Amino acid sequence: MKFLLIVQGEGRGHLTQAISLTEILESNGHTVVGALVGTATGKEVPSFFSDNFKKQIFPFSSPYLVYNNKTRALDITKTISNAFIKLPDFLRSLKEINKVVNALTPDVIINFYDVLGGLHQLLFRPKLPMVCIAHQYLLLHPDFKHPANHWLDKLLVNTNTRITALGATKKLALSFTEFTNHEPQKIAIIPPLLRSEITGLSTETQDYLLAYVTQFSLAEQLMEWHDKNPDVAIHCFWDNPNYTDTFHYSPNLHFHKINGRKFLAMMQNCRGLVTTAGFESVCEAMYLGKPTLMIPVPKHYEQACNALDAHRAGAGITGTSFDLSAFIDYLPTHQNIRFDFQYWYNSGSFKFLREVENLNHQPAMQWRNTRRRDVLPQLIRRWALAVFAPPTRN
């Protein structure tokens, strides 16, 4: 079968998943014909993806998240307003996506959480099935436990998630642990998609902590804590454009430019990982048996969900700032779940292939025979049912 990927290119998570799934598909006789990658500029694709994904890459302009430079919190207002301002660009992107789909003639589209991937399926109605893959689809599961008192954030995130999956034949929800599949929403639970290099690592515990910050401004909190605790050795990875090499803040605090291989090499020997609750980083720490302190970016609901769910799964503890004192106290008490997680992860290839290999020639959309003018009312009804349905046990 021939697969075409559509990937939300913000951050590394979905891009890494796309590379991993390509390896699984092609090692089992399938073909990945290319990847459409949505970015803020619509032009540049992160180099680590272009270096590792050896197929055709088609960048396009896609919606992205905007953060407040001072508070470091997710700025929902600017995120939405930017989406409206760039609406003409997104309309052009939809046409570009359709042009690539028609040129490459895949059997299946796999969408890694890009909004325009779902809108393309709705508006152009290609005669082929689309599978959606992301951790966010687990948030739609009735058994998923959401953070309390965040009903508006839950509504916004889940609405965005449903848009990415418009017309999807299946939603494959990446999860730290097993859940029961939810057939009414076509949700199948599958293990994480991680970098293949991680399976070849051997671990030991050396006397340093490893940190990863998605926004380099968050490093200021780490510096403040380290000034009061200079004896704790920390290696931190960041994306600060002012530094092209390692910045030695002190003899025991070092900041490294983001480098995937170097990060994994240091993770295999660290005492524990401190991170902003990104899904892939936590999964990698769980695979290597490293306890984790998860600090969600303020007002970043998805990271708050990741932290809560990873804590449930036994990955480690959560925090609200880069104060590492509680984490250091926690380290001796951490219960290692490494082998349980590895058993779950190792079942991934079989589960992915089982879900995608029977998709050929299945109908692409439930509303294929619906007139276009009737699609919007149908979507509104579905959204209202999802929002105002009786509460589940979570």
Side-chain angles (χ1 to χ4, degrees):
M1 295 168 62
K2 292 164 58 179
F3 294 85
L4 174 64
L5 313 184
I6 302 177
V7 191
Q8 195 264 84
E10 181 183 352
R12 299 175 64 92
H14 301 293
L15 294 168
T16 299
Q17 293 162 13
I19 293 171
S20 299
L21 184 60
T22 297
E23 294 174 355
I24 292 174
L25 291 172
E26 299 218 318
S27 65
N28 285 275
H30 301 293
T31 301
V32 175
V33 295
L36 288 144
V37 180
T39 65
T41 63
K43 298 179 180 179
E44 298 179 0
V45 173
S47 59
F48 89 91
F49 183 75
S50 57
D51 291 343
N52 291 281
F53 186 83
K54 303 305 181 182
K55 308 294 180 178
Q56 297 182 84
I57 299 175
F58 307 90
F60 64 91
S61 179
S62 187
Y64 56 93
L65 301 177
V66 180
Y67 296 91
N68 187 298
N69 291 330
K70 293 183 178 180
T71 65
R72 304 151 188 156
L74 178 64
D75 193 322
I76 295 176
T77 302
K78 285 188 177 180
T79 297
I80 295 175
S81 62
N82 277 12
F84 279 105
I85 292 171
K86 298 194 67 175
L87 186 58
D89 293 337
F90 301 152
L91 293 175
R92 284 190 291 271
S93 292
L94 287 168
K95 294 179 180 179
E96 292 172 10
I97 293 172
N98 194 56
K99 182 179 178 180
V100 172
V101 170
N102 290 334
L104 299 183
T105 63
D107 299 308
V108 178
I109 294 174
I110 298 183
N111 183 15
F112 289 88
Y113 204 65
D114 192 88
V115 167
L116 298 189
L119 291 175
H120 170 264
Q121 197 77 359
L122 168 67
L123 297 175
F124 290 90
R125 303 186 181 193
K127 296 181 179 179
L128 68 160
M130 180 178 75
V131 178
C132 292
I133 300 179
H135 175 60
Q136 288 86 345
Y137 298 114
L138 187 64
L139 276 59
L140 302 176
H141 197 290
D143 291 337
F144 184 83
K145 184 175 176 59
H146 288 262
N149 304 318
H150 288 273
W151 69 268
L152 179 58
D153 294 320
K154 178 181 176 181
L155 171 62
L156 292 173
V157 168
N158 282 354
T159 297
N160 181 78
T161 299
R162 294 180 191 280
I163 293 173
T164 67
L166 289 171
T169 304
K170 289 184 179 180
K171 306 179 190 75
L172 304 186
L174 304 173
S175 176
F176 296 119
T177 60
E178 291 189 75
F179 277 72
T180 302
N181 292 345
H182 192 249
E183 296 299 334
Q185 297 194 68
K186 300 183 179 180
I187 298 175
I189 309 302
I190 51 179
L193 283 164
L194 304 180
R195 289 174 277 187
S196 58
E197 302 97 302
I198 197 168
T199 60
L201 298 179
S202 59
T203 64
E204 61 179 73
T205 301
Q206 297 180 8
D207 191 25
Y208 66 86
L209 297 176
L210 181 65
Y212 172 69
V213 293
T214 52
Q215 301 172 56
F216 66 86
S217 58
L218 294 170
E220 296 175 6
Q221 296 180 15
L222 193 58
M223 295 174 184
E224 291 175 3
W225 182 85
H226 182 74
D227 288 341
K228 302 174 183 176
N229 302 270
D231 294 333
V232 179
I234 305 171
H235 290 271
C236 179
F237 283 76
W238 64 355
D239 61 352
N240 194 327
N242 297 321
Y243 295 90
T244 58
D245 204 349
T246 301
F247 166 51
H248 301 282
Y249 177 78
S250 77
N252 275 334
L253 178 56
H254 315 278
F255 290 91
H256 307 275
K257 185 177 178 62
I258 290 177
N259 179 301
R261 291 184 178 179
K262 185 177 180 181
F263 180 76
L264 282 183
M266 299 199 75
M267 187 189 291
Q268 68 179 339
N269 297 323
C270 71
R271 294 170 60 195
L273 173 68
V274 181
T275 178
T276 47
F279 181 71
E280 278 67 34
S281 296
V282 175
C283 287
E284 289 169 347
M286 293 173 73
Y287 187 93
L288 296 173
K290 301 298 181 178
T292 306
L293 170 62
M294 294 156 284
I295 308 164
V297 172
K299 296 185 180 180
H300 196 311
Y301 183 70
E302 291 178 20
Q303 288 192 0
C305 289
N306 288 345
L308 183 65
D309 195 39
H311 176 68
R312 171 199 62 80
I317 62 174
T318 63
T320 57
S321 69
F322 282 82
D323 183 332
L324 309 188
S325 300
F327 184 51
I328 291 175
D329 293 339
Y330 163 78
L331 290 175
T333 68
H334 176 71
Q335 300 295 313
N336 199 322
I337 58 169
R338 177 182 183 182
F339 297 111
D340 290 338
F341 183 82
Q342 289 184 359
Y343 180 82
W344 168 236
Y345 170 78
N346 290 334
S347 68
S349 293
F350 169 77
K351 292 180 182 293
F352 280 111
L353 294 170
R354 182 185 62 190
E355 296 296 338
V356 303
E357 286 183 338
N358 64 348
L359 290 172
N360 208 5
H361 307 304
Q362 289 192 17
M365 303 185 73
Q366 295 179 359
W367 50 71
R368 175 161 297 284
N369 296 322
T370 304
R371 293 173 297 179
R372 290 180 187 272
R373 68 184 184 186
D374 294 331
V375 169
L376 183 58
Q378 189 176 124
L379 289 175
I380 292 174
R381 285 196 298 272
R382 292 184 180 191
W383 176 82
L385 286 172
V387 173
F388 299 108
T392 61
R393 55 189 166 208
N394 64 323

